Amino acid sequence: MRLIRSALSVTAVAALAAGGTAVLASPASAAPNTTAQKVCGSGYKTVNSMPVGSMGTVYLTYNASNGFNCVTTIRNSPGTAVDMAAWLYVPGIDQYDQDYGRFTSYAGPTYVYGKGECVDWGGQIKNVYVQVTGSNCGALKERRATFTR
């Protein structure tokens, strides 16, 4: 399983960097007027976020009681299903999770344990992709990027 997750992370990160998509099947999600805390669950607090153009926001949340990070991409205005993604990678332990598909409100949640680790995360709505690398590492400076395809 570790090899598969590693291969998935390399594929997804490379696809995002190239302006493409990494396609994996996932269940549909839809909930109007939702928040990152509602999507990720009890105990998760938003620790970082990044806008996806003017269409929505990708949220990184963290649960201090269990050490898990969660990422979700939430549209500003739910509507017709569109391509969306939420992904999370913890390089220090080589663990990855993603949710990709056509959704009406949000993509995710994606969960990876990462207590004391830097995280890479991002998402997509339609043709706009965002990613943050080296995030939430204390003194280290994160890098942010937006791609359109």
Side-chain angles (χ1 to χ4, degrees):
M1 180 59 98
R2 184 175 170 97
L3 179 60
I4 291 169
R5 290 219 183 264
S6 180
L8 286 174
S9 65
V10 170
T11 301
V13 171
L16 284 172
T21 59
V23 179
L24 294 175
S26 62
S29 60
N33 302 319
T34 194
T35 65
Q37 289 73 26
K38 286 180 184 176
V39 174
C40 290
S42 178
Y44 284 87
K45 305 287 185 229
T46 298
V47 294
N48 212 330
S49 64
M50 185 170 180
V52 184
S54 61
M55 296 177 284
T57 304
V58 180
Y59 295 92
L60 172 66
T61 65
Y62 182 71
N63 186 324
S65 67
N66 66 18
F68 275 81
N69 294 284
C70 173
V71 171
T72 184
T73 303
I74 301 175
R75 288 171 62 179
N76 291 337
S77 300
T80 304
V82 298
D83 289 339
M84 294 182 69
W87 62 271
L88 173 62
Y89 176 61
V90 180
I93 59 173
D94 193 28
Q95 294 295 309
Y96 181 81
D97 191 19
Q98 80 165 11
D99 187 25
Y100 174 82
R102 294 184 60 80
F103 304 116
T104 59
S105 299
Y106 65 90
T110 61
Y111 298 97
V112 175
Y113 180 82
K115 187 172 187 171
E117 300 284 343
C118 298
V119 295
D120 299 345
W121 53 279
Q124 166 204 357
I125 301 174
K126 294 184 180 179
N127 67 335
V128 179
Y129 304 79
V130 298
Q131 68 181 24
V132 180
T133 56
S135 177
N136 296 66
C137 301
L140 295 177
K141 176 97 171 115
E142 68 186 19
R143 292 179 304 238
R144 292 176 171 244
T146 300
F147 308 94
T148 54
R149 181 180 66 134

